């Protein structure tokens, strides 16, 4: 039996969340760790944009982490629909905020030398504001919305 193939990079937050979803759903796959400076030809053939994660199934290639998570949920709902409708809307909003705004500032804080005229203190402060906003809505429990792990938790955890 051949397993799905997951091209991954150990420090990539997008790849981390895809690996977490696959692991939580107990979906076995062959993980191929890549060096981003030396991407395998096969990886570039199946997804020319050359970013990780990439999940290769029998007849489908999924090359976005949230699409991989959604595929996992459709296959094995690891979260058991444990969120209310208002929490679902907030989940999507927060995931987008972390993927866009938080990641933008995080990169310019952590890797300021890679960006011309980057003020790392400013970008650190912007990240902190987003984390303070998240803390204001987070429950006192183990996970953001309560006692059970959900899509938001695994989607933003790797960035934090």
């Amino acid at each position: 039996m051949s397993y799905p193939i997951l091209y991954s990079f150990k420090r990539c937050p997008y790849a981390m969340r895809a690996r977490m979803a696959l692991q939580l759903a107990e979906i076995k796959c062959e993980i191929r760790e890549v060096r981003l400076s030396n991407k395998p030809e096969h990886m570039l053939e199946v997804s020319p944009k050359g970013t990780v994660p990439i999940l290769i199934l029998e007849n489908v290639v999924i090359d976005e982490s949230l699409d991989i998570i959604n595929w996992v949920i459709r296959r094995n709902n690891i979260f058991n629909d444990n969120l209310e409708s208002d929490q679902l809307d907030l989940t999507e909003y927060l995931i987008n905020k972390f993927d866009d705004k938080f990641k933008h500032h995080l990169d310019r804080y952590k890797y300021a030398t890679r960006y011309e005229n980057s003020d790392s203190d400013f970008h650190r402060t912007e990240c902190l504001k987003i984390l303070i906003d998240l803390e204001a809505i987070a429950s006192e429990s183990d996970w953001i919305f309560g006692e059970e792990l959900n899509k938001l938790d695994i989607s933003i955890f790797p960035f934090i």
Side-chain angles (χ1 to χ4, degrees):
M1 172 183 198
S2 64
Y3 295 111
I5 296 169
L6 179 72
Y7 280 103
S8 184
F9 177 64
K10 62 184 173 185
R11 291 191 332 245
C12 172
Y14 302 105
M16 286 179 197
R17 66 187 182 189
R19 288 193 314 262
M20 281 192 281
L22 291 162
Q23 177 68 33
L24 288 166
E26 299 178 356
I27 296 173
K28 293 183 182 188
C29 60
E30 176 186 333
I31 297 179
R32 295 184 182 174
E33 284 290 330
V34 300
R35 284 194 348 235
L36 299 179
S37 61
N38 187 20
K39 298 171 186 170
E41 283 184 39
H42 179 252
M43 179 184 133
L44 295 172
E45 287 171 13
V46 298
S47 180
K49 68 181 186 173
T51 60
V52 294
I54 301 168
L55 182 64
I56 304 170
L57 307 168
E58 276 187 34
N59 300 316
V60 177
V61 173
I62 307 173
D63 62 2
E64 289 290 333
S65 61
L66 291 175
D67 293 338
I68 293 170
I69 292 170
N70 290 331
W71 175 82
V72 167
I73 291 169
R74 285 190 305 275
R75 183 159 180 215
N76 176 2
N77 190 350
I78 54 179
F79 306 121
N80 301 316
D81 298 322
N82 61 11
L83 296 178
E84 303 296 325
S85 63
D86 61 327
Q87 292 173 324
L88 289 171
D89 292 340
L90 186 55
T91 292
E92 295 307 316
Y93 168 77
L94 288 170
I95 290 171
N96 289 330
K97 187 172 190 174
F98 270 80
D99 281 6
D100 295 330
K101 191 174 180 184
F102 189 82
K103 179 75 163 87
H104 170 85
H105 292 298
L106 182 65
D107 286 348
R108 283 152 185 81
Y109 166 61
K110 285 176 62 176
Y111 311 111
T113 57
R114 295 182 188 172
Y115 300 92
E116 191 173 323
N117 300 320
S118 182
D119 178 350
S120 64
D121 289 337
F122 168 78
H123 293 291
R124 180 185 179 277
T125 300
E126 293 302 305
C127 286
L128 185 58
K129 288 177 187 176
I130 294 169
L131 292 173
I132 289 169
D133 289 346
L134 178 65
E135 186 175 30
I137 63 160
S139 75
E140 298 282 326
S141 301
D142 294 339
W143 304 106
I144 295 171
F145 288 133
E147 297 296 329
E148 295 184 58
L149 178 71
N150 63 65
K151 181 179 175 181
L152 177 61
D153 296 309
I154 68 166
S155 294
I156 68 172
F157 174 74
F159 294 103
I160 300 172

